[in-house]
């Protein structure tokens, strides 16, 4: 098998089923072929498996899908809506983990899977876990949870956003090795996750330099034996929600912070934490970074 070139960037509850415990899970990855080139605007074949306890453990669920990547090589699918090969997604007992997700990809769109990789689910989607654990927990702004501090909630506290406890940088530029347009224009709750994936796909292998989105994507924290690794650079809107709770969250060491929302080829949106204003600034400026994650 060839080395895996997809970058897993997030697992979230599907927005269309927030009213009840979700039966699907959103998955995003950036697909690269064996030459490390982005597989852009192409139909790809994917086989997704969940393994219990270890990366070679019991296979509890398998499905296949044939999604199409976008211009940045990003593929977005809903696990639980594909063609079932074995198992029942709704019957997975998430409280009986850990679980590992194995992805196999055919860049040509068929079933000759030449790209493969397995990674641990560092944090089980919150509502899925609550469903199988037999209770629904609710959180409030200011709660310490999921490796950080809750700064935004919705659905009566069942879902929301968590900020890291401290800055990941007090001065780092937005771009990696190229200042060109990345098309990371998403805004709103959850948009930062997709923006982060797009930025890394565009900038991640340019010259090896670290940058705002990368350090969020690489951040992880372990609490009570559970590792939380699904952090990302907040969108412009998410960053403003974070600013609104800056006193509750605390630890902000500088004035300006980067969002993941690009405005133009040379500019991206930043927020000034002294007065709350948002500005479209040059990507080469060095601003602070605070990673967030969703629950």
């Amino acid at each position: 098998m060839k080395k895996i070139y997809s970058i897993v960037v997030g697992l979230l509850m599907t927005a269309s089923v927030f009213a009840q415990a979700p039966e699907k899970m959103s998955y995003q990855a950036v697909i690269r072929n064996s030459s490390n080139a982005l597989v852009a605007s192409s139909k790809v074949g994917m086989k997704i498996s969940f393994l219990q306890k270890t990366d070679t453990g019991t296979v509890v669920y398998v499905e296949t899908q044939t999604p199409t990547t976008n211009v940045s090589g990003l593929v977005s699918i809903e696990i639980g809506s594909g063609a079932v090969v074995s198992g029942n997604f709704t019957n997975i007992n998430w409280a009986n983990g850990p679980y590992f997700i194995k992805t196999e990809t055919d860049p040509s769109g068929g079933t000759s899977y030449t790209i493969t990789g397995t990674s641990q689910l560092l944090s089980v989607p919150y509502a899925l876990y609550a469903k199988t654990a037999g209770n629904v927990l609710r959180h409030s702004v200011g709660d310490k949870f999921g490796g950080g501090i809750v700064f935004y909630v919705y659905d009566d506290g069942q879902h929301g956003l968590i900020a890291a406890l401290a800055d990941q940088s007090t001065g780092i530029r937005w771009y990696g090795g190229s200042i060109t347009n990345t098309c990371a224009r998403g805004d709103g709750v959850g948009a930062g996750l997709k923006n982060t994936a797009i930025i890394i796909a565009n900038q991640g292998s340019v010259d090896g330099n670290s940058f705002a989105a990368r350090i969020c994507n690489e951040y992880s924290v372990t609490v009570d034996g559970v590792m939380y690794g699904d952090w990302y650079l907040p969108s412009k809107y998410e960053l403003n929600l974070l600013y609104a709770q800056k006193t509750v969250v605390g630890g902000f060491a500088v004035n300006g912070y980067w969002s993941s929302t690009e405005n133009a080829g040379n500019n991206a949106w930043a927020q000034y934490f002294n007065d709350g204003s948002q500005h479209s600034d040059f990507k080469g400026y060095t601003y602070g970074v605070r990673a967030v994650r969703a629950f």
Side-chain angles (χ1 to χ4, degrees), residues 23 60-61 87-94 99 131-132:
E23 307 298 341
V60 297
Y61 178 74
N88 188 323
F89 185 75
T90 62
N91 289 340
I92 297 176
N93 184 356
W94 298 104
Y99 284 92
K131 173 189 173 185
T132 56

Side-chain angles (χ1 to χ4, degrees), residues 44 77 95 136 139 153 155 160 168 182 187 195 221 234 290 295:
V44 297
I77 62 174
V136 176
H139 288 277
V153 296
D155 283 350
Q168 280 58 65
T182 68
D187 203 6
N195 287 343
V221 60
R290 181 69 68 95
F295 71 91

Side-chain angles (χ1 to χ4, degrees), residues 1-11 25 27-31 44-51 55 61-65 67 75 77 79 100-106 113-121:
M1 286 291 183
K2 297 177 182 176
K3 182 180 178 182
I4 181 72
Y5 284 103
S6 63
I7 303 173
V8 179
V9 296
L11 290 161
M25 179 188 297
Y27 172 91
Q28 295 179 324
V30 176
I31 307 298
V44 297
M46 296 188 71
K47 182 179 180 181
I48 304 99
S49 307
F50 285 100
L51 295 77
D55 59 0
Y61 178 74
V62 182
E63 72 172 46
T64 59
Q65 296 201 31
V75 64
I77 62 174
I79 300 174
F100 292 75
I101 183 170
K102 179 180 180 181
T103 57
E104 300 170 84
T105 306
D106 178 359
Y113 305 116
T114 57
I115 305 173
T116 186
T118 305
S119 59
Q120 185 177 354
L121 292 181

Side-chain angles (χ1 to χ4, degrees), residues 103-259:
T103 57
E104 300 170 84
T105 306
D106 178 359
S108 65
T111 58
S112 298
Y113 305 116
T114 57
I115 305 173
T116 186
T118 305
S119 59
Q120 185 177 354
L121 292 181
L122 298 179
S123 55
V124 174
Y126 180 72
L128 286 175
Y129 182 90
K131 173 189 173 185
T132 56
N135 57 68
V136 176
L137 300 178
R138 292 175 170 82
H139 288 277
S140 302
V141 170
D143 287 356
K144 284 192 174 182
F145 174 64
I149 296 178
V150 176
F151 68 93
Y152 175 72
V153 296
Y154 55 98
D155 283 350
D156 195 25
Q158 295 182 59
H159 308 295
L161 297 172
I162 300 167
L165 295 174
D167 293 342
Q168 280 58 65
S169 175
T170 56
I172 194 168
R173 66 188 189 183
W174 193 92
Y175 73 97
S178 172
I179 204 167
T180 57
N181 187 7
T182 68
C183 298
R185 302 293 178 89
D187 203 6
V189 174
L193 179 66
K194 182 176 289 187
N195 287 343
T196 298
I198 292 172
I199 296 166
I200 291 172
N202 183 279
Q203 301 282 302
S205 59
V206 176
D207 65 1
N209 287 333
S210 191
F211 51 94
R214 173 182 277 180
I215 62 175
C216 291
N217 180 255
E218 294 177 349
Y219 176 66
S220 65
V221 60
T222 300
V223 179
D224 296 329
V226 178
M227 179 182 289
Y228 299 95
D230 51 350
W231 301 85
Y232 60 89
L233 185 64
S235 68
K236 177 187 174 186
Y237 181 74
E238 291 170 319
L239 185 59
N240 191 57
L241 293 174
L242 181 57
Y243 166 77
Q245 300 297 338
K246 67 174 186 176
T247 302
V248 173
V249 175
F252 296 101
V254 293
N255 177 31
Y257 285 83
W258 281 123
S259 82

